[in-house]
Amino acid sequence: MMDSPSTSSDNNPRKRGRTACTRCKTRKQKCDNEYPVCSNCRKANVECDKSLVSRHRESSPGYTRALQERIAYLEGRLSEFESRPRDEPSVSFRQSQTPISPQATTRRTTSNPLGEIVGFLTVGSSLDAPAYVGSSSGLSLAVNLGEMVQATVWNNVLSPSSDPSRKASGGPKEVNGAAISSEEGGPSVINRPARMEDLTANAAEPPNEEMGARILKAYINRLHPRYPFLDRKELWALHEKRFSLSGIPHERLSKAEKFGLFKLYLVYSIGATMMQLSEKYNYTAPERFYMTALRHMCAVQELRSIQNIESMALLVIYHLRSASSHGVWYMIGLAMRICIDLGLHRKANLVNLDPFTAQMRRRLFWSVYYLERVIAVSLGRPPSIPDSHIDLELPLNVNDDERDPAVLTSQPPAGLKTTLTFSICLFQLRQIDSKIQHSIYRADRALHTLRPKLDRLYLELEEWKSSATSCFSNSELDYPMLHYNRAVRLLIQPFLPLLSLSDPYYHICLRAAGEICQVHKRLHQTLEYGHSFLAVQTVFVAGITLLYALWTHTDRVWSVQMSNDIRACSTVLFVMGERAGWVKKYRDAFELLINAAMEKLQGDEALRALGMAQMMVAQHGGGDFSRMSNTMPNSENVSQSDIGATYTSQAMPASGIPDMPGGTDGAMRMAMELAPWLDQGNNVPLWMPDFETLENLTSGP
């Protein structure tokens, strides 16, 4: 029998400790391990934490921990099959020589919800076939989900800043024997992962009638029109039974009831998050609803199931609006692969289903398609399946609560407006996005050879726009036009270095980027708009596109309209930053880049000759322009390490950046990563720096 994860990891004599200081590790530089200050930090004249590194060892990797949980789970499953009568079917893997008691297994697998998540993702197919338990079976996804839960839910629920007892005492709080510490005003640190008893202790009570209806309506009115894969009638029925179901002990609930509660509380958490991002919300924290949902996650025990796809889609929707969205690409990718495994992408696999079930499967597949395409495009990664392998039609344009087989088997009249019209329009636009990504964003062709594809794809976008404007009134067009302009920017942006200012496409791209900022500004003036990671990425890249044009062509593109668009982008990022703290680094980086662009626009000829990185170093190096221009290398040859070393040795004044918080180091790193990208010359593809790279830049000390 293997030791528990905590015992084996703490007593492992072969476990390696950290050797590099945090600064060298973050910058991926070789640390010479000089004590107490390494040579890299000494040259940059910054603080080195080599002494702390030498006294502390890094925690065991999450992957190893997840493997140990997986082994414990499989041992428990094996013991269950060993106790079966001989006439019952058995699994198709070799039985263990050492039987494990169910009590010991339960003690292991329920001590950490990550073990249950692993089981939820990798138990096997619904056909009782042997299950693959390798690197693509969901284990790495479970690790990602465990880290996302730890970062965005567990720490937030037990945050000392929200705990009155800690504020009164001033000392660290203990929860079930685990100390929680935090710097003043900073994030909390949990010294151990969440366990099942912690989820139970911090679970949320069912919402009351008034708030429960408001939270559920927030999800149904704001998100369900985009992702219509849930049955509204079923959701309301679960909501009506929430008190009776919550009163039943967890172990006495059926699997269907557990999954119903999991789905309901996940919808509560998403709806509460939407309200929290768009209005004053003082009710149960969304994280507590999320933790309550996790208690019932183990009800979904089959990897290849419709319930699993719904679960992962809901988890992705939640985490897109949280502080950690690193794992969403893996999660939505697995959801799409399960769709493919079940054949949801082929129309032939739905012919034997009743009309309503077939329509629900179509809505589920296209919702997952929508999420995967938009996440893949935002992160610059390929999708799981090409469009040429999909022959499933879009959902019928009927009301989503329609159950009449005659209606669900006949083609609705053209121009009919229903509750699914909005989502169908967005699904069609995602298909064009997919064509753009496949045709333009590729590494095997030179960019100039792809220029002929631009006309055909732009024509498709214009046809979609014409169709959308005929379907929706002016008051309903903001959100569809936001996505249309995003697609136009996505299409034209790579070609900007190749286009002359006289080319209409250049100005079409700038107009689309400006409209993205203006529409976001209008949406934030409403009470129902709750932004996500994708919205932050969309408006941030639109603003950077405007700054690129301004930086490369200066007064030739400057206009009152561009000024208003840049100001709108800045305003939106500031509003987002006030509602979600993790957005502030994007807001501050954008302000740094604006300041540099304005200096060039208003400066003399010598100032205009500087690169973006040199300009920012000159600005934040005390304002001595002549000294900085003589000491900084030419912008074409400057390296990130040179810029970073120069920056970190200078004082960082807060003046010039409105309401800039004290800690601007992460924003400056992000701005310095973007500066060489803005300085690119002609004939260089204008690829946006990877968003995950920008996130990692700001996670250092």
Side-chain angles (χ1 to χ4, degrees):
M1 181 185 304
M2 69 173 288
D3 295 331
S4 63
S6 59
T7 303
S8 61
S9 61
D10 292 342
N11 299 328
N12 184 1
R14 304 181 63 183
K15 180 181 175 184
R16 294 185 59 189
R18 256 183 70 184
T19 57
C21 70
T22 303
R23 183 176 183 273
C24 292
K25 184 175 183 291
T26 303
R27 298 164 64 86
K28 297 182 179 179
Q29 292 179 324
K30 184 176 181 180
C31 187
D32 58 8
N33 299 323
E34 288 191 17
Y35 187 87
V37 180
C38 73
S39 60
N40 291 331
C41 294
R42 187 168 58 253
K43 289 178 183 178
N45 194 23
V46 297
E47 185 179 356
C48 181
D49 63 348
K50 198 73 189 72
S51 58
L52 294 176
V53 171
S54 64
R55 293 198 302 266
H56 294 86
R57 295 163 62 96
E58 288 185 320
S59 60
S60 60
Y63 181 75
T64 302
R65 191 166 58 251
L67 282 176
Q68 293 168 334
E69 295 285 355
R70 174 63 187 166
I71 292 172
Y73 180 84
L74 288 176
E75 288 175 340
R77 293 285 293 174
L78 182 60
S79 65
E80 292 178 10
F81 284 108
E82 287 178 339
S83 61
R84 280 185 177 182
R86 293 183 179 275
D87 56 345
E88 288 192 19
S90 60
V91 293
S92 57
F93 52 81
R94 185 178 301 172
Q95 294 188 347
S96 172
Q97 299 298 319
T98 307
I100 307 298
S101 66
Q103 292 81 3
T105 303
T106 303
R107 189 165 56 249
R108 290 178 186 172
T109 56
T110 59
S111 64
N112 188 334
L114 180 58
E116 295 190 3
I117 295 170
V118 174
F120 151 67
L121 292 170
T122 61
V123 166
S125 71
S126 58
L127 305 177
D128 289 332
Y132 174 63
V133 195
S135 60
S136 63
S137 66
L139 185 57
S140 60
L141 174 65
V143 177
N144 272 289
L145 181 56
E147 292 172 353
M148 291 160 70
V149 171
Q150 187 79 6
T152 64
V153 179
W154 184 234
N155 288 352
N156 288 346
V157 167
L158 299 178
S159 174
S161 61
S162 61
D163 179 33
S165 64
R166 187 183 185 281
K167 289 180 180 178
S169 64
K173 176 184 176 184
E174 286 199 6
V175 179
N176 294 336
I180 306 170
S181 60
S182 174
E183 298 295 334
E184 186 69 18
S188 60
V189 178
I190 308 300
N191 292 333
R192 56 158 177 76
R195 299 177 300 199
M196 182 55 70
E197 53 264 35
D198 300 320
L199 295 181
T200 303
N202 292 279
E205 294 294 326
N208 61 40
E209 192 61 39
E210 178 190 357
M211 286 303 299
R214 284 183 60 193
I215 293 171
L216 199 54
K217 286 178 181 178
Y219 176 88
I220 291 175
N221 294 338
R222 305 184 200 180
L223 286 172
H224 182 72
R226 283 181 257 170
Y227 319 113
F229 61 91
L230 295 181
D231 184 351
R232 283 189 296 154
K233 183 177 179 180
E234 180 189 4
L235 276 181
W236 282 111
L238 288 169
H239 174 70
E240 293 298 324
K241 296 190 296 182
R242 64 193 184 282
F243 288 108
S244 60
L245 289 175
S246 298
I248 303 174
H250 180 76
E251 60 274 8
R252 291 176 55 189
L253 291 168
S254 67
K255 288 183 179 180
E257 290 171 334
K258 289 178 182 178
F259 177 66
L261 284 172
F262 168 75
K263 184 161 54 175
L264 178 65
Y265 274 92
L266 208 48
V267 168
Y268 284 156
S269 67
I270 297 169
T273 301
M274 295 293 292
M275 295 174 64
Q276 194 176 61
L277 290 171
S278 58
E279 59 188 81
K280 189 174 181 179
Y281 177 83
N282 296 319
Y283 197 62
T284 304
E287 294 84 6
R288 291 191 180 275
F289 286 130
Y290 186 95
M291 292 177 73
T292 308
L294 289 184
R295 291 181 61 206
H296 307 292
M297 178 180 278
C298 56
V300 190
Q301 291 189 350
E302 294 172 351
L303 178 62
R304 295 195 304 163
S305 69
I306 299 299
Q307 292 82 3
N308 229 307
I309 302 171
E310 292 179 354
S311 302
M312 280 182 277
L314 287 170
L315 288 168
V316 167
I317 293 171
Y318 175 83
H319 280 285
L320 282 175
R321 286 160 180 81
S322 69
S324 176
S325 51
H326 292 301
V328 294
W329 182 71
Y330 298 96
M331 193 177 299
I332 197 62
L334 180 58
M336 176 57 82
R337 284 187 286 277
I338 298 174
C339 288
I340 297 168
D341 197 22
L342 294 176
L344 295 188
H345 62 303
R346 304 303 301 272
K347 61 183 179 182
N349 292 319
L350 305 182
V351 293
N352 295 324
L353 300 176
D354 66 88
F356 180 73
T357 301
Q359 286 301 315
M360 292 301 295
R361 298 283 175 90
R362 285 162 70 169
R363 296 169 197 172
L364 177 60
F365 173 80
W366 286 107
S367 296
V368 173
Y369 175 95
Y370 177 108
L371 284 166
E372 197 211 22
R373 282 327 196 242
V374 74
I375 290 171
V377 168
S378 298
L379 297 179
R381 297 182 177 180
S384 300
I385 181 173
D387 288 61
S388 57
H389 289 193
I390 302 170
D391 66 356
L392 182 72
E393 299 96 340
L394 293 173
L396 281 180
N397 187 23
V398 296
N399 289 322
D400 65 328
D401 58 354
E402 180 63 66
R403 281 173 161 76
D404 186 353
V407 176
L408 295 176
T409 53
S410 59
Q411 190 64 30
L416 179 66
K417 188 175 179 181
T418 70
T419 56
L420 286 181
T421 303
F422 184 77
S423 58
I424 292 172
C425 279
L426 293 183
F427 294 158
Q428 292 169 338
L429 187 58
R430 290 288 84 82
Q431 289 178 302
I432 303 176
D433 277 355
S434 185
K435 292 180 184 178
I436 293 172
Q437 186 183 28
H438 177 75
S439 302
I440 305 300
Y441 289 78
R442 49 193 301 175
D444 60 340
R445 295 276 298 276
L447 185 62
H448 68 273
T449 64
L450 303 175
R451 175 62 175 78
K453 297 178 179 290
L454 200 155
D455 296 325
R456 175 178 54 81
L457 291 169
Y458 181 71
L459 181 60
E460 286 192 45
L461 287 173
E462 287 301 292
E463 291 174 352
W464 181 92
K465 178 183 178 182
S466 176
S467 174
T469 52
S470 65
C471 287
F472 303 104
S473 62
N474 289 335
S475 60
E476 300 171 319
L477 274 175
D478 270 349
Y479 197 80
M481 288 303 100
L482 172 64
H483 284 262
Y484 161 78
N485 285 299
R486 178 184 176 275
V488 171
R489 183 207 56 78
L490 183 74
L491 171 64
I492 303 176
Q493 183 184 3
F495 296 99
L496 287 183
L498 305 179
L499 301 176
S500 65
L501 277 178
S502 60
D503 194 309
Y505 279 125
Y506 198 100
H507 298 280
I508 290 172
C509 183
L510 296 188
R511 189 70 246 116
E515 277 298 306
I516 289 172
C517 303
Q518 296 291 349
V519 172
H520 266 289
K521 183 180 177 181
R522 290 198 296 272
L523 288 173
H524 275 283
Q525 292 171 346
T526 69
L527 294 178
E528 294 191 351
Y529 183 69
H531 60 269
S532 66
F533 164 77
L534 300 175
V536 175
Q537 193 265 357
T538 298
V539 72
F540 182 76
V541 175
I544 295 297
T545 303
L546 294 171
L547 290 184
Y548 169 81
L550 180 60
W551 182 258
T552 53
H553 294 289
T554 322
D555 49 358
R556 288 185 292 169
V557 298
W558 178 250
S559 65
V560 173
Q561 182 65 61
M562 175 172 279
S563 173
N564 289 336
D565 293 341
I566 292 175
R567 185 173 60 178
C569 180
S570 180
T571 300
V572 170
L573 289 175
F574 266 83
V575 172
M576 288 177 170
E578 290 304 310
R579 295 177 178 176
W582 62 272
V583 184
K584 291 180 179 178
K585 54 183 174 284
Y586 292 96
R587 174 199 72 185
D588 297 344
F590 187 68
E591 292 299 317
L592 289 168
L593 296 170
I594 287 178
N595 290 344
M598 292 299 105
E599 287 285 344
K600 182 176 181 180
L601 182 65
Q602 301 170 5
D604 56 25
E605 291 302 320
L607 194 62
R608 293 191 180 196
L610 282 181
M612 173 70 81
Q614 293 171 288
M615 183 80 76
M616 283 191 293
V617 172
Q619 282 183 324
H620 300 286
D624 188 351
F625 163 69
S626 60
R627 177 177 63 84
M628 296 305 299
S629 60
N630 290 331
T631 57
M632 281 298 294
N634 184 276
S635 62
E636 294 179 356
N637 301 319
V638 67
S639 67
Q640 286 299 109
S641 59
D642 293 334
I643 296 169
T646 305
Y647 155 66
T648 51
S649 64
Q650 306 294 332
M652 182 68 180
S655 59
I657 304 174
D659 300 324
M660 183 71 79
T664 56
D665 188 55
M668 191 64 174
R669 290 180 192 171
M670 187 181 294
M672 285 300 185
E673 175 74 14
L674 290 164
W677 180 79
L678 291 172
D679 280 330
Q680 291 179 110
N682 294 335
N683 300 319
V684 177
L686 193 61
W687 306 119
M688 178 66 196
D690 179 74
F691 237 61
E692 190 170 9
T693 300
L694 298 181
E695 278 286 322
N696 292 336
L697 282 171
T698 61
S699 61

